[in-house]
Amino acid sequence: MRDANPGTIYLKDYQAPNYLINRTELHFVLGEEETLVTSRLHLLRNTENGDSSELILDGQDLELVEIYLDGDVLDPSCYEVGEATLVLRDLPEQCLLSCVTRIRPQLNTSLEGLYRSQTMFCTQCEAEGFRKITYYLDRPDVMSVFTVTIDADADRYPVLLSNGNLEETSPLANGLTRVLWHDPFPKPSYLFALVAGDLEHIEDSFTTCSGREVALRIYVEEKDIDKCDHAMDSLKRSMRWDEEVFGREYDLDIFNVVAVDDFNMGAMENKSLNIFNTSCVLCDPNTTTDVGYQRVEAIVAHEYFHNWSGNRVTCRDWFQLSLKEGFTVFRDAEFSSDMGSRTVKRVEDVTLLRSAQFAEDAGPMAHPVRPESYIEINNFYTLTVYEKGAEVVRMIHTLLGPQAFRAGSDLYFARHDGQAVTCEDFVLAMEEASGVDLGQFRNWYSQAGTPRLTVTDAWNEEAGSYALTISQSCPATPGQDDKKPFVIPVAMGLLGDAGNLRLQLQGEAPDPDTEDNTHMVLMVDKPEQTFVFEGLPEKPVPSLLRGFSAPVRLEFDYSRNDLCRLMSGDDDGFVRWDSAQSLAVSVITEVQAQLLAGDEAQVDPLFLEACGALLQDDALDPAMLAEMLSLPSENYLAELAGEGAADVQGIYRARTAVLAAVGSHCREALEQRYAQLAVEANYAATGEQIAARSLRAVCLNYLAAAGASGLALANAQFAAADNITERLAALRVLSQFGSRSDWEAPMAKFYEDWGHETLAVNQWLAVQASMPDDGAIARVRHLMEHPDFDLRNPNKVRSLVGTFAGQNPLNFHREDGSGYRLLRQVVAELNSINPQIASRLLAPLTKWRYYQGRAEQMRSELELLASMDGLSPDVFEVVSKSLK
Ligand code: BES
Ligand code: ZN
């Protein structure tokens, strides 16, 4: 592939727009066959950027019907309609450009722009969907005040929504209604939204800190009206929290949320009209798992928080995406931590980061938090931009401390309110408010790859001193061979026999403020550094990277005994969990080698005892215990194996053998915990109940891995459950460890009982997609023919095909290549239906370098895709970059 691909967009080429659009008036006539969109753009030449009179508007899949300049029909010689543009020449400095375009939302399967979901019309404009509605400067640095009128059939579409305030409703002839919405806040086109449908809503209100009353409404199909309360409560909690923790008040009198079934992402923060995937807003004990309830709370918060971090202050260009997404993920993570258990939330986030973001950062699509180029921006809504971006903000928080960080955030919002800005502007505000120099820290924004920290220690018995030598390196990533050192905050402590030791760094005055100085943050900013601690009574065990203070791979040669000590005795919950994980990794790896050599699995008794001790520890939060007892995922183990070394079968066998060994060794304790933790009360998504159910599920998993008694318990749990969390946990266990006779009946029963609930069916599909048995691929193909499956619905595709490719390594990586073939065929078909989903689904194939003996087969499927006619830019970019 040529390097300067014609479709590549570069950050270095950024230019301010040469016209501004001060006001945007849109008029929609929604019809069953076609929709007419009339735009009136109040244009003003941007004199800051030269004085070109040429204007290039973006437009895709549009039919231009009429065009006027200042009220007169525009002469065809003055404009040119291209494949994706409308070019206008010799425009005056100030003018009114009006276009009528015809679009066909009912045929729009890309779910970008204006489209239909079930019986409603809805929009999705981020990142570049607005250009599928009308010709526009579809870029985030063009901010405009929008006024929108909508004409639609009053019976079919009694609810007509857009951004801002509803100013007028009037009946028209022919059974149509017209509404007028006005949004006083200037916004980029990606935040525009429109919804039309026959919807019900629930309503509540929120009084802001300055005493304004905001009407809160959640719109859904009538059948789902009972599933909105949890989202409403979450919204009110988010609004209060953002006032208290970030000083951010809501700014309009209305806040609307709409749920739609067909949606590419989870949810979207359109100004005052958030649109949600039904899976991310509806909650009901029979359709939503505990994890689902928590996810809804987090996503409602996330989209709400964007009202400031994203909407009031937006991105100059899409290279700055992490400015709003990384910061907002940090904000929603802090919110979730405050609502529940901070440590458990941290463990969940780190698990995702390490098992998926690290792999992305080590693969062919690796890019910095602020990318420098892209072909298709939709491919850059990545774990790196989101999760690593949030880690970068978290490190700034660590470096500045909570007060200076808050001052930086206040300064950022005050200084840039109403502007479209860059990651650099964010960092500058943080620097100015705190006085902390973040010069070298900026490497986190510009350099891709996961840094590796190698730590060695030296104990000097006579001097009572202990030295930690820390060196950092970062592997090459596409286009970046040599990396400059990062600034890496390493939060740490030292563990002695009787607990945490006092920390005194050589050459530094003792800290007079703290008596009990057992925690500190080391600043690692050079390729290699040594930190010497003095006055120690014994050789300590270092507790490193507490709270996962930086997104790095840490290497320290812990003995299994060290890990056990940290696991039971460290002050930091994250380190306790992480030590349990490291211990499990080392035990599983050992078993994998034994099995490979044809020996029997011998699980280190130390590990079995440690698990037993954890199960007896009544002081530990059950949610935390569940995390500590959860073995690392197959995906994480594959990632740790490294390029060319992941043996999925070996990993699966070893992991299953360790599960079974713990299950038999700890059987009594597991059964006891399982029985004790049974929730007698009616289902509620409270922290306490959720913790109990999650630990029970972990116990059940071990017991079932060890044999029949666990399967019997699972059967009983399935029959007795009053909620989908326990039903699915039982089904999962039966279908992972049982034989056909164990899972067949409950699987059918689940569908019989809940087949009318789309969201429940999706999870039923996912359970079947992740089964390890030999029938898995035939089953997935068969389910693709099921009447409830629909390739045009992203939730279905993700549940069935996404789960298969991402969560069923054993079958996806089958030796005969049938798993790869299945994915390639689905991607090929989706390429023309929904390129965004096709491209996201493809990710597991791009990891071909990891899997032992599979590279050729995986590559050849990618090559087949590459040679396809009509390849979308989305799929083209991923395929061509992964084949390089
Ligand atoms: N702005 C995004 C939604 C989006 C992403 C729209 C890409 C179009 C293209 C939204 O704020 C978001 O980030 N949603 C996440 C959930 C969130 C909790 C991380 C999502 O949809 O997955
Ligand atoms: Zn977001």
Side-chain angles (χ1 to χ4, degrees):
M1 210 187 77
R2 281 170 303 165
D3 207 44
N5 189 290
T8 303
I9 308 201
Y10 295 91
L11 168 58
K12 64 175 165 44
D13 294 343
Y14 172 81
Q15 282 201 328
N18 66 331
Y19 271 86
L20 307 176
I21 310 177
N22 288 334
R23 283 201 305 129
T24 299
E25 296 168 79
L26 297 174
H27 176 58
F28 290 82
V29 182
L30 300 175
E32 300 308 293
E33 295 303 317
E34 61 177 44
T35 288
L36 288 174
V37 184
T38 305
S39 68
R40 287 161 53 86
L41 311 183
H42 298 260
L43 296 166
L44 181 66
R45 196 173 298 162
N46 186 10
T47 42
E48 276 173 41
N49 193 40
D51 61 351
S52 165
S53 60
E54 186 183 74
L55 174 64
I56 304 178
L57 297 178
D58 305 296
Q60 238 174 51
D61 306 334
L62 302 175
E63 189 187 325
L64 182 62
V65 184
E66 290 166 35
I67 180 163
Y68 304 88
L69 188 64
D70 291 323
D72 298 327
V73 173
L74 192 61
D75 191 87
S77 66
C78 301
Y79 67 92
E80 192 179 328
V81 179
E83 186 60 28
T85 53
L86 171 63
V87 182
L88 299 132
R89 283 180 212 97
D90 306 322
L91 282 189
E93 222 178 285
Q94 190 169 359
C95 57
L96 171 64
L97 180 72
S98 179
C99 291
V100 179
T101 49
R102 182 181 288 122
I103 52 178
R104 302 190 187 278
Q106 74 279 9
L107 303 181
N108 180 355
T109 57
S110 70
L111 314 187
E112 271 185 309
L114 180 66
Y115 65 94
R116 296 201 63 135
S117 176
Q118 311 283 82
T119 58
M120 51 176 134
F121 285 96
C122 62
T123 54
Q124 172 53 45
C125 294
E126 189 179 0
E128 299 181 335
F130 191 79
R131 60 189 64 186
K132 292 181 155 193
I133 296 175
T134 189
Y135 288 104
Y136 205 74
L137 283 172
D138 192 13
R139 44 188 288 169
D141 57 349
V142 172
M143 299 173 81
S144 186
V145 173
F146 280 68
T147 306
V148 177
T149 52
I150 310 170
D151 293 357
D153 185 283
D155 291 332
R156 285 177 200 257
Y157 311 104
V159 173
L160 298 172
L161 306 173
S162 190
N163 316 88
N165 302 310
L166 175 62
E167 310 229 300
E168 278 174 43
T169 302
S170 42
L172 303 177
N174 306 325
L176 300 184
T177 303
R178 172 170 297 175
V179 294
L180 187 156
W181 289 84
H182 177 74
D183 179 0
F185 291 96
K187 65 169 174 290
S189 53
Y190 84 87
L191 290 173
F192 165 80
L194 176 155
V195 170
D198 186 1
L199 301 171
E200 300 287 317
H201 71 272
I202 65 164
E203 177 150 358
D204 208 327
S205 82
F206 178 84
T207 307
T208 70
C209 50
S210 71
R212 273 187 315 99
E213 190 165 314
V214 183
L216 312 176
R217 298 195 188 94
I218 302 182
Y219 289 86
V220 295
E221 283 183 60
E222 187 185 355
K223 66 178 169 60
D224 293 324
I225 194 72
D226 295 334
K227 302 192 183 84
C228 302
D229 295 344
H230 181 69
M232 184 64 88
D233 291 342
S234 304
L235 176 59
K236 288 187 287 183
R237 284 195 289 273
S238 311
M239 295 177 86
R240 190 61 75 212
W241 185 91
D242 213 15
E243 290 180 346
E244 288 172 1
V245 179
F246 275 85
R248 302 292 111 206
E249 184 182 0
Y250 189 61
D251 52 12
L252 280 161
D253 301 332
I254 309 180
F255 189 85
N256 286 327
V257 167
V258 180
V260 305
D261 255 328
D262 302 287
F263 203 71
N264 283 343
M265 302 291 287
M268 176 64 209
E269 70 267 24
N270 316 301
K271 184 81 185 184
S272 79
L273 179 51
N274 287 4
I275 298 183
F276 275 62
N277 188 321
T278 44
S279 73
C280 294
V281 59
L282 303 180
C283 283
D284 177 277
N286 286 312
T287 59
T288 313
T289 60
D290 289 340
V291 170
Y293 273 83
Q294 290 173 327
R295 191 169 152 72
V296 166
E297 182 185 57
I299 300 194
V300 167
H302 177 99
E303 306 311 336
Y304 173 71
F305 297 157
H306 270 315
N307 191 53
W308 276 97
S309 49
N311 302 2
R312 288 288 286 259
V313 181
T314 195
C315 301
R316 187 192 73 172
D317 55 73
W318 292 119
F319 297 102
Q320 319 297 329
L321 183 57
S322 197
L323 174 72
K324 76 176 177 80
E325 296 300 348
F327 188 23
T328 304
V329 170
F330 171 76
R331 278 152 54 68
D332 83 54
E334 283 300 294
F335 168 75
S336 295
S337 303
D338 287 347
M339 296 298 121
S341 157
R342 178 165 287 269
T343 309
V344 170
K345 172 65 180 160
R346 191 67 187 134
V347 163
E348 290 165 356
D349 289 350
V350 174
T351 301
L352 175 68
L353 196 81
R354 279 189 190 160
S355 65
Q357 195 278 326
F358 280 18
E360 181 173 279
D361 229 348
M365 286 291 289
H367 53 276
V369 166
R370 183 186 54 223
E372 253 133 51
S373 71
Y374 59 75
I375 296 175
E376 171 53 62
I377 184 57
N378 284 322
N379 286 328
F380 285 79
Y381 286 75
T382 58
L383 290 158
T384 299
V385 165
Y386 276 66
E387 309 302 322
K388 189 179 183 179
E391 294 299 319
V392 170
V393 175
R394 179 172 300 281
M395 288 189 285
I396 295 179
H397 185 271
T398 303
L399 294 173
L400 270 59
Q403 277 157 14
F405 181 87
R406 168 64 194 271
S409 163
D410 288 349
L411 177 61
Y412 168 73
F413 287 125
R415 179 184 283 174
H416 298 297
D417 190 6
Q419 298 178 358
V421 302
T422 62
C423 297
E424 177 63 17
D425 292 316
F426 180 80
V427 175
L428 279 170
M430 288 291 162
E431 278 184 320
E432 284 186 36
S434 67
V436 175
D437 176 1
L438 295 171
Q440 188 188 342
F441 184 84
R442 284 168 171 77
N443 291 342
W444 282 107
Y445 284 96
S446 58
Q447 297 188 148
T450 306
R452 189 178 289 278
L453 278 188
T454 311
V455 184
T456 56
D457 67 347
W459 166 242
N460 184 331
E461 178 82 42
E462 271 156 52
S465 72
Y466 181 71
L468 284 174
T469 298
I470 307 184
S471 57
Q472 60 163 305
S473 64
C474 182
T477 48
Q480 295 185 333
D481 290 341
D482 297 312
K483 309 286 168 87
K484 292 183 232 114
F486 293 87
V487 176
I488 303 175
V490 179
M492 54 84 64
L494 296 175
L495 194 63
D497 275 337
N500 285 282
L501 302 174
R502 257 188 67 95
L503 304 178
Q504 178 57 56
L505 270 179
Q506 191 173 65
E508 280 188 19
D511 189 343
D513 291 344
T514 41
E515 292 250 307
D516 180 32
N517 191 8
T518 61
H519 179 88
M520 68 167 63
V521 180
L522 305 176
M523 287 305 158
V524 173
D525 56 7
K526 300 187 182 65
E528 188 176 302
Q529 273 156 289
T530 297
F531 301 88
V532 180
F533 298 89
E534 295 182 321
L536 294 166
E538 61 191 297
K539 181 181 181 191
V541 178
S543 162
L544 298 169
L545 214 64
R546 285 181 166 176
F548 201 65
S549 55
V552 300
R553 296 177 201 261
L554 177 79
E555 280 175 10
F556 180 83
D557 195 12
Y558 286 111
S559 69
R560 288 190 183 165
N561 269 316
D562 290 345
L563 291 173
C564 285
R565 282 180 58 192
L566 288 169
M567 203 172 133
S568 52
D570 198 51
D571 265 2
D572 184 70
F574 171 80
V575 165
R576 295 182 67 179
W577 169 81
D578 195 29
S579 310
Q581 286 284 295
S582 303
L583 188 58
V585 167
S586 107
V587 168
I588 295 170
T589 313
E590 184 178 27
V591 168
Q592 196 181 334
Q594 294 163 350
L595 294 176
L596 190 66
D599 299 334
E600 232 176 84
Q602 299 269 346
V603 178
D604 187 345
L606 188 76
F607 181 68
L608 299 173
E609 297 303 328
C611 291
L614 281 175
L615 281 162
Q616 307 295 344
D617 186 347
D618 290 322
L620 208 57
D621 165 18
M624 193 54 203
L625 183 49
E627 294 291 351
M628 291 184 74
L629 286 171
S630 295
L631 295 187
S633 68
E634 290 161 71
N635 284 338
Y636 181 52
L637 292 164
E639 211 278 329
L640 285 182
E643 286 197 356
D647 162 14
V648 276
Q649 280 213 354
I651 288 173
Y652 176 81
R653 288 207 196 105
R655 190 175 177 279
T656 307
V658 173
L659 279 174
V662 174
S664 350
H665 181 86
C666 303
R667 179 163 172 172
E668 255 172 55
L670 288 163
E671 284 176 348
Q672 216 173 45
R673 279 277 188 171
Y674 182 82
Q676 277 167 2
L677 288 164
V679 176
E680 303 294 342
N682 285 340
Y683 179 90
T686 58
E688 203 183 343
Q689 280 198 16
I690 292 175
R693 280 188 290 270
S694 70
L695 182 50
R696 272 189 114 213
V698 171
C699 294
L700 189 63
N701 198 54
Y702 278 114
L703 290 167
S709 83
L711 294 175
L713 285 177
N715 238 311
Q717 171 168 321
F718 181 81
D722 73 341
N723 62 82
I724 195 179
T725 307
E726 290 177 315
R727 260 177 225 128
L728 281 181
L731 260 191
R732 222 171 265 131
V733 157
L734 291 168
S735 62
Q736 292 286 321
F737 303 108
S739 50
R740 178 177 283 271
S741 60
D742 294 305
W743 54 258
E744 199 164 35
M747 201 69 84
K749 173 83 168 120
F750 186 98
Y751 186 78
E752 213 175 282
D753 292 346
W754 305 108
H756 59 287
E757 290 282 4
T758 309
L759 297 177
V761 171
N762 292 350
Q763 296 170 85
W764 175 80
L765 292 172
V767 171
Q768 296 177 80
S770 56
M771 288 170 60
D773 67 324
D774 283 346
I777 291 187
R779 186 175 302 116
V780 171
R781 286 194 181 273
H782 185 70
L783 287 168
M784 285 177 63
E785 304 298 322
H786 193 282
D788 284 342
F789 187 78
D790 181 358
L791 215 46
R792 284 167 309 184
N793 178 269
N795 289 355
K796 301 275 184 226
V797 174
R798 277 188 282 259
S799 294
L800 189 59
V801 190
T803 303
F804 169 73
Q807 310 297 325
N808 192 344
L810 203 55
N811 279 300
F812 178 61
H813 296 284
R814 285 189 85 86
E815 206 168 357
D816 62 6
S818 53
Y820 307 144
R821 200 149 55 238
L822 169 60
L823 185 64
R824 185 255 303 159
Q825 288 166 344
V826 176
V827 170
E829 203 174 339
L830 271 172
N831 173 63
S832 49
I833 299 175
N834 187 331
Q836 263 188 63
I837 299 298
S839 158
R840 285 179 175 270
L841 207 60
L842 185 53
L845 267 182
T846 66
K847 312 214 184 311
W848 58 268
R849 280 178 207 277
Y850 273 93
Y851 296 95
Q852 222 173 69
R854 296 292 188 278
E856 274 322 303
Q857 283 166 304
M858 294 176 81
R859 278 184 64 97
S860 70
E861 299 299 342
L862 289 168
E863 270 152 12
L864 280 174
L865 287 171
S867 68
M868 257 174 60
D869 284 337
L871 208 56
S872 60
D874 309 60
V875 175
F876 170 79
E877 178 167 37
V878 175
V879 166
S880 58
K881 288 185 177 170
S882 13
L883 282 171
K884 260 193 197 159

